[in-house]
Amino acid sequence: MDREGAETYLRLLAEAAMRGSLTPAAGPRAPNASTIMAAGHALTAVGALDPVTAEEILTDFRLATTARQLHHQSGGQGVTAAEWLTQGQAVLRPRQVPARSPGEGAPWEDPDHGRADHDRADRFVPVGLTVPFRAGAVRGELCLMSFAQTGSGARFIAAWQVHSPSLEVQLSHHYPGLIPFDEFTVTDDRGARYELDLTPGSDLAWPNMIRLSPAPPGTIRWLDVAPPYRQAIRVDLCSSEPAPAGDATRASDTTLSPGEHLLVMLAERLLTGTPEFPRRGLLAAPPTSPRQVVAGGFGVIIAALEAAGVLSPLSPVPARLATLCASLDLTGHGIAAPPTLDMPEPWLSLLAHYQRRKPEPTQMREGYAALAASLPELDGIRVILLGLQHTQGGSALHVLVQGQIPEPRPGPLDIDLNFPLSLWLKDSGGRWHAARPDRCHQAGQESAIRLRLVPPLTRPADRVEVLAGGRSAEVRATLPLRWRYLS
Amino acid sequence: MTDAPNGPWFTSLPPCETLVPCGRGRHCVRWEAGELRLASHADPEAELVLAALGGDKARCVEIAEAWQRHTADLTVLGIGPRSPADEVTVSWDDVDAAGQAARSGASVLGYGAGPLASPPRAAMARASIRYQQYQQEAGEASQRRLDMLSLLALGTGFQIRLAGQVVAAHADRLDEPDKLGRTIRSVLTAALDGRLAPVAEQWLGIDPDQVEVSLYRGTGWGSVELTGRGEQRRLRVSLPAWWLARVWACGLALTGRHLVVAVERAGWPDARVLALSAPGAEPVSRSAHAVSRPSGAADAPHWEI
């Protein structure tokens, strides 16, 4: 990795942008602050450039351009000296978090929290039980997909079905405040009682991670989950350990460079960020959307990665990106490589989906499939699949990620560095579905993530093939599914 | 290439001066032979001592201090002019307004931490330390920018001379990081690109974005070659970092339709330079003579071969 090359590239890009800002006739393709941010984000994402340095380059660029606008009165381009002083707000690195008030921190952020459990083996159990409940005027079902216990605590991965008499609609996504967590009782095989609540850090729109408090001992055999005024339903925790990844798991080595890996992530971000129907509507996307930023900066990003020595000029990935952009009607991407027909099968499948003139009729009912399958480690990251859910026309895969999770680096590329893997599901009809992080809750070296499937499932497959790809290897696993449906 | 045996980098630069509002009057600040001089302040060091004891600090003295603080600050190269025509116009009213804004903004830079119910002492102490550290860093950043604005207000002649001074401070230690961890080679490569590209455009009519520069590390002056056609046309230039100080900052870059690649014998108003008539040609030794501009602006030297 050529760190000096990376820094030099970004500084030269800033110089080119500076020239463009001094030339009124500079074309729209001249680099600007957005281009510098995109390239800077790419270089920091692959670890070729320190985010602080990238930030300083961007700040110096802004100071330089605005210093030349101090006395421009026409066209609204002028800035005042006071405004000049405040140029360069951090965009590529998170701001320092101010000191937290005592007691403000959550248990999972406490370094001592769970230390006693550190050496205890993790436990992942598929559950697949539906617990009907009624609490006052609210009734519904708590659908337990799986149970996961790690050093960060114990939780059920669950789906909710909530009905109210006045509004016979499914409310679980939008009104989780109606879920009567505190009216459930949970008891283990030794008589100890636990409370259910939302995993701290989960927002109300993500009621899928339900924490048991306090965390039970790792040796309990079952839990009784009792809804208000109803008989408890027993959850057997000894049914399958350790969690397997299905019988048919194949791992193969890949040799993606850091630059190729980033480009694949960006490509999949493009693929999963593309609106559905009508297809022509995507041309009307605002030019500042992440999708446009990503596509518009591809040429610069590729050049930056090459300068940093993390992308070979002979790599086939840029040509695939060119094909992708052409297929999605994205122009101005600046990729020098000509398009290619050598495309990954999942990409082609998703592109074919977008080429459809109208949505495919769905045969999916709202429901879930229990899972507790651990994939072989990829790039130091272990992925445990904990449930598949289909509701309100969308499909989601729930996973727990452990290991060397990179630090999230927010930036214009809108990529999820804390889930630096490519994850696809192939249904029994042969269609591929990209799994893109939708909600994430990170606690140290562990993240609970809800992955949105793009496109959603359209038929209840009895098995899926999972393809997980990292930089150094990829894994294919076939998982049997047993769907349970909501009433 | 170092200062010796050709004299300091600024040997081919004339003095320049400007008037600065200071106290109730306007004082002359002069740059000469690599140093800033305050003609209206007989003993600036004594004034500094008085200021430290609570007296007012004269603006001229503040400027001299700011100059000293930034003679090795690579940020100067990022913000300052790329050519004499690239004027960064800052007035002293701007400096005053920014100073007032910085002083009034200092009180709102905190985290806004609310009262704590029962704050443990250790946590309060940690929060207090971090808060003080944050305030200190914010104050230093604000001071750096105010400094920069004052130095820009001195005018283009001073800005270019300061850039030369910064390059001279780093040109012989390209492989070291600076105080802020920046890679000196990267910063100077970009500085060379930003300043050579407009010169190349004037010299050959080439699109500045088609100029590719690198810092030359070997013996001799470097290389200049033109390749390709149309959009693939490239002017590849490799010059030592010292070129920025000894040639560009001294106004010698494009002299008599020649690209000056090195100074053989520095001097003012006469110097001997190594000049290229065209890319790929061998540079030839030429005598250069400084002439006064019609405006008489001695701070923007103009040379002829």
PDB file of all heavy atoms in Angstrom, chain B residues 143-157:
ATOM      1  N   GLN B 143      -6.552  30.722  16.259  1.00  0.00           N
ATOM      2  CA  GLN B 143      -5.394  31.611  16.188  1.00  0.00           C
ATOM      3  C   GLN B 143      -4.644  31.405  14.875  1.00  0.00           C
ATOM      4  O   GLN B 143      -4.196  32.360  14.236  1.00  0.00           O
ATOM      5  CB  GLN B 143      -4.462  31.356  17.373  1.00  0.00           C
ATOM      6  CG  GLN B 143      -3.248  32.283  17.423  1.00  0.00           C
ATOM      7  CD  GLN B 143      -3.643  33.747  17.524  1.00  0.00           C
ATOM      8  OE1 GLN B 143      -4.413  34.123  18.406  1.00  0.00           O
ATOM      9  NE2 GLN B 143      -3.150  34.578  16.613  1.00  0.00           N
ATOM     10  N   ARG B 144      -4.519  30.130  14.462  1.00  0.00           N
ATOM     11  CA  ARG B 144      -3.813  29.848  13.199  1.00  0.00           C
ATOM     12  C   ARG B 144      -4.519  30.522  12.032  1.00  0.00           C
ATOM     13  O   ARG B 144      -3.893  31.082  11.139  1.00  0.00           O
ATOM     14  CB  ARG B 144      -3.743  28.332  12.965  1.00  0.00           C
ATOM     15  CG  ARG B 144      -2.621  27.643  13.724  1.00  0.00           C
ATOM     16  CD  ARG B 144      -2.325  26.275  13.135  1.00  0.00           C
ATOM     17  NE  ARG B 144      -3.452  25.381  13.210  1.00  0.00           N
ATOM     18  CZ  ARG B 144      -3.732  24.605  14.267  1.00  0.00           C
ATOM     19  NH1 ARG B 144      -2.946  24.649  15.323  1.00  0.00           N
ATOM     20  NH2 ARG B 144      -4.777  23.810  14.272  1.00  0.00           N
ATOM     21  N   ARG B 145      -5.843  30.458  12.046  1.00  0.00           N
ATOM     22  CA  ARG B 145      -6.567  31.054  10.922  1.00  0.00           C
ATOM     23  C   ARG B 145      -6.517  32.578  10.958  1.00  0.00           C
ATOM     24  O   ARG B 145      -6.433  33.222   9.916  1.00  0.00           O
ATOM     25  CB  ARG B 145      -8.010  30.562  10.929  1.00  0.00           C
ATOM     26  CG  ARG B 145      -8.063  29.094  10.592  1.00  0.00           C
ATOM     27  CD  ARG B 145      -9.451  28.623  10.328  1.00  0.00           C
ATOM     28  NE  ARG B 145      -9.432  27.190  10.054  1.00  0.00           N
ATOM     29  CZ  ARG B 145     -10.498  26.486   9.753  1.00  0.00           C
ATOM     30  NH1 ARG B 145     -11.664  27.073   9.659  1.00  0.00           N
ATOM     31  NH2 ARG B 145     -10.405  25.196   9.515  1.00  0.00           N
ATOM     32  N   LEU B 146      -6.558  33.131  12.153  1.00  0.00           N
ATOM     33  CA  LEU B 146      -6.423  34.590  12.244  1.00  0.00           C
ATOM     34  C   LEU B 146      -5.047  35.023  11.772  1.00  0.00           C
ATOM     35  O   LEU B 146      -4.892  36.025  11.065  1.00  0.00           O
ATOM     36  CB  LEU B 146      -6.650  35.046  13.688  1.00  0.00           C
ATOM     37  CG  LEU B 146      -8.106  35.157  14.125  1.00  0.00           C
ATOM     38  CD1 LEU B 146      -8.190  35.459  15.611  1.00  0.00           C
ATOM     39  CD2 LEU B 146      -8.814  36.248  13.335  1.00  0.00           C
ATOM     40  N   ASP B 147      -4.029  34.261  12.177  1.00  0.00           N
ATOM     41  CA  ASP B 147      -2.671  34.535  11.699  1.00  0.00           C
ATOM     42  C   ASP B 147      -2.646  34.551  10.176  1.00  0.00           C
ATOM     43  O   ASP B 147      -2.107  35.461   9.545  1.00  0.00           O
ATOM     44  CB  ASP B 147      -1.727  33.407  12.141  1.00  0.00           C
ATOM     45  CG  ASP B 147      -1.222  33.598  13.564  1.00  0.00           C
ATOM     46  OD1 ASP B 147      -1.585  34.600  14.194  1.00  0.00           O
ATOM     47  OD2 ASP B 147      -0.464  32.718  14.020  1.00  0.00           O
ATOM     48  N   MET B 148      -3.254  33.496   9.613  1.00  0.00           N
ATOM     49  CA  MET B 148      -3.210  33.338   8.164  1.00  0.00           C
ATOM     50  C   MET B 148      -3.890  34.521   7.469  1.00  0.00           C
ATOM     51  O   MET B 148      -3.406  35.036   6.466  1.00  0.00           O
ATOM     52  CB  MET B 148      -3.910  32.031   7.790  1.00  0.00           C
ATOM     53  CG  MET B 148      -3.657  31.550   6.387  1.00  0.00           C
ATOM     54  SD  MET B 148      -1.946  31.138   6.100  1.00  0.00           S
ATOM     55  CE  MET B 148      -1.786  29.702   7.114  1.00  0.00           C
ATOM     56  N   LEU B 149      -5.008  34.947   8.041  1.00  0.00           N
ATOM     57  CA  LEU B 149      -5.731  36.063   7.438  1.00  0.00           C
ATOM     58  C   LEU B 149      -4.875  37.331   7.487  1.00  0.00           C
ATOM     59  O   LEU B 149      -4.824  38.094   6.520  1.00  0.00           O
ATOM     60  CB  LEU B 149      -7.047  36.271   8.207  1.00  0.00           C
ATOM     61  CG  LEU B 149      -8.248  36.757   7.407  1.00  0.00           C
ATOM     62  CD1 LEU B 149      -8.534  35.860   6.216  1.00  0.00           C
ATOM     63  CD2 LEU B 149      -9.476  36.865   8.289  1.00  0.00           C
ATOM     64  N   SER B 150      -4.175  37.559   8.591  1.00  0.00           N
ATOM     65  CA  SER B 150      -3.307  38.736   8.705  1.00  0.00           C
ATOM     66  C   SER B 150      -2.181  38.678   7.675  1.00  0.00           C
ATOM     67  O   SER B 150      -1.835  39.684   7.053  1.00  0.00           O
ATOM     68  CB  SER B 150      -2.685  38.817  10.104  1.00  0.00           C
ATOM     69  OG  SER B 150      -3.665  38.971  11.068  1.00  0.00           O
ATOM     70  N   LEU B 151      -1.614  37.497   7.513  1.00  0.00           N
ATOM     71  CA  LEU B 151      -0.499  37.367   6.576  1.00  0.00           C
ATOM     72  C   LEU B 151      -0.978  37.558   5.137  1.00  0.00           C
ATOM     73  O   LEU B 151      -0.272  38.131   4.309  1.00  0.00           O
ATOM     74  CB  LEU B 151       0.173  36.001   6.754  1.00  0.00           C
ATOM     75  CG  LEU B 151       0.824  35.799   8.130  1.00  0.00           C
ATOM     76  CD1 LEU B 151       1.330  34.376   8.294  1.00  0.00           C
ATOM     77  CD2 LEU B 151       1.949  36.797   8.349  1.00  0.00           C
ATOM     78  N   LEU B 152      -2.206  37.078   4.845  1.00  0.00           N
ATOM     79  CA  LEU B 152      -2.752  37.298   3.509  1.00  0.00           C
ATOM     80  C   LEU B 152      -3.002  38.784   3.279  1.00  0.00           C
ATOM     81  O   LEU B 152      -2.848  39.297   2.171  1.00  0.00           O
ATOM     82  CB  LEU B 152      -4.053  36.513   3.330  1.00  0.00           C
ATOM     83  CG  LEU B 152      -3.929  34.986   3.261  1.00  0.00           C
ATOM     84  CD1 LEU B 152      -5.298  34.325   3.302  1.00  0.00           C
ATOM     85  CD2 LEU B 152      -3.178  34.551   2.008  1.00  0.00           C
ATOM     86  N   ALA B 153      -3.385  39.500   4.345  1.00  0.00           N
ATOM     87  CA  ALA B 153      -3.693  40.923   4.207  1.00  0.00           C
ATOM     88  C   ALA B 153      -2.450  41.749   3.857  1.00  0.00           C
ATOM     89  O   ALA B 153      -2.566  42.888   3.400  1.00  0.00           O
ATOM     90  CB  ALA B 153      -4.325  41.439   5.494  1.00  0.00           C
ATOM     91  N   LEU B 154      -1.268  41.177   4.053  1.00  0.00           N
ATOM     92  CA  LEU B 154      -0.039  41.907   3.698  1.00  0.00           C
ATOM     93  C   LEU B 154       0.099  42.079   2.191  1.00  0.00           C
ATOM     94  O   LEU B 154       0.851  42.945   1.735  1.00  0.00           O
ATOM     95  CB  LEU B 154       1.189  41.162   4.245  1.00  0.00           C
ATOM     96  CG  LEU B 154       1.353  41.159   5.766  1.00  0.00           C
ATOM     97  CD1 LEU B 154       2.476  40.214   6.177  1.00  0.00           C
ATOM     98  CD2 LEU B 154       1.624  42.565   6.284  1.00  0.00           C
ATOM     99  N   GLY B 155      -0.608  41.261   1.418  1.00  0.00           N
ATOM    100  CA  GLY B 155      -0.557  41.412  -0.035  1.00  0.00           C
ATOM    101  C   GLY B 155       0.213  40.297  -0.727  1.00  0.00           C
ATOM    102  O   GLY B 155       0.918  39.498  -0.091  1.00  0.00           O
ATOM    103  N   THR B 156       0.074  40.268  -2.060  1.00  0.00           N
ATOM    104  CA  THR B 156       0.617  39.165  -2.853  1.00  0.00           C
ATOM    105  C   THR B 156       2.122  39.028  -2.713  1.00  0.00           C
ATOM    106  O   THR B 156       2.661  37.922  -2.625  1.00  0.00           O
ATOM    107  CB  THR B 156       0.248  39.363  -4.337  1.00  0.00           C
ATOM    108  OG1 THR B 156      -1.169  39.530  -4.434  1.00  0.00           O
ATOM    109  CG2 THR B 156       0.663  38.162  -5.166  1.00  0.00           C
ATOM    110  N   GLY B 157       2.832  40.171  -2.693  1.00  0.00           N
ATOM    111  CA  GLY B 157       4.284  40.106  -2.606  1.00  0.00           C
ATOM    112  C   GLY B 157       4.741  39.363  -1.355  1.00  0.00           C
ATOM    113  O   GLY B 157       5.624  38.498  -1.405  1.00  0.00           O
TER     114      GLY B 157
END
